[in-house]
Amino acid sequence: MSERETTRLIAWSQELRRVHTRLREALRVTREALASGDSPGHATRDLLLYCHGFCTALNAHHAGEDRTLFPAIEAAHPGLAPVLRALEQDHSMLGHLLAGLQDAADRAATADELDAHVEGIAALMENHFRYEERQLLTVLEGLDLEADPGETLGPL
């Protein structure tokens, strides 16, 4: 295997780690906007901005995994099908939670309600990322997939 091929293969594992780091940071910024202590209107405006970016990025990340990455992994490693189905279920649940947060922010819900939405997302997202990293990082280092990692895993 050439150095270029090795670099391309390892890029999938590294890019997944980078995307997860950026999404964790986006969630941190969203949480800070909510906890800022400013007037509810100001916090809600900030949250709408951060939520839109964060929600869009997380949904795009999961859509890319479901559309491109997971089918390639399953083709190369059929035994991982149950892992991939569990991750896809998480994607669906996170999509519902993100829609709930967006709805709460759009209707200027109380800070406590917004916080409850963000905490639910944070808990599931972190659990999902850790499970995904434990199960897939090694597999990704050997995955031969002709696709752009940044596009597949979601640009931020």
Side-chain angles (χ1 to χ4, degrees), residues 1-148:
M1 180 179 303
S2 73
E3 183 178 336
R4 181 178 177 273
E5 290 172 318
T6 301
T7 300
R8 184 180 58 79
L9 293 175
I10 293 174
W12 283 103
S13 175
Q14 292 171 344
E15 185 64 18
L16 182 66
R17 283 187 194 109
R18 278 193 291 269
V19 168
H20 285 180
T21 297
R22 291 190 305 257
L23 288 166
R24 285 175 174 120
E25 176 64 13
L27 180 61
R28 184 193 62 74
V29 170
T30 301
R31 290 169 116 173
E32 285 178 1
L34 183 58
S36 68
D38 291 340
S39 68
H42 182 263
T44 300
R45 279 192 308 275
D46 284 352
L47 185 61
L48 278 169
L49 289 173
Y50 296 127
C51 176
H52 177 71
F54 169 71
C55 294
T56 300
L58 188 58
N59 279 325
H61 169 66
H62 290 157
E65 286 181 332
D66 292 346
R67 179 183 59 250
T68 304
L69 188 60
F70 289 176
I73 291 172
E74 189 168 359
H77 302 276
L80 287 174
V83 169
L84 299 172
R85 295 303 83 75
L87 291 168
E88 288 169 344
Q89 274 188 316
D90 285 354
H91 291 173
S92 178
M93 286 188 294
L94 280 162
H96 289 294
L97 292 173
L98 291 168
L101 173 60
Q102 186 69 55
D103 178 61
D106 288 345
R107 61 181 165 71
T110 67
D112 287 343
E113 184 181 346
L114 293 169
D115 187 56
H117 283 282
V118 170
E119 288 303 314
I121 291 166
L124 182 55
M125 186 184 92
E126 189 57 38
N127 185 56
H128 172 81
F129 284 176
R130 286 181 180 172
Y131 180 69
E132 187 172 62
E133 290 166 1
R134 275 194 320 272
Q135 297 295 321
L136 300 184
L137 285 181
T138 302
V139 170
L140 289 175
E141 289 176 0
L143 184 67
D144 189 11
L145 176 61
E146 290 293 332
D148 178 74

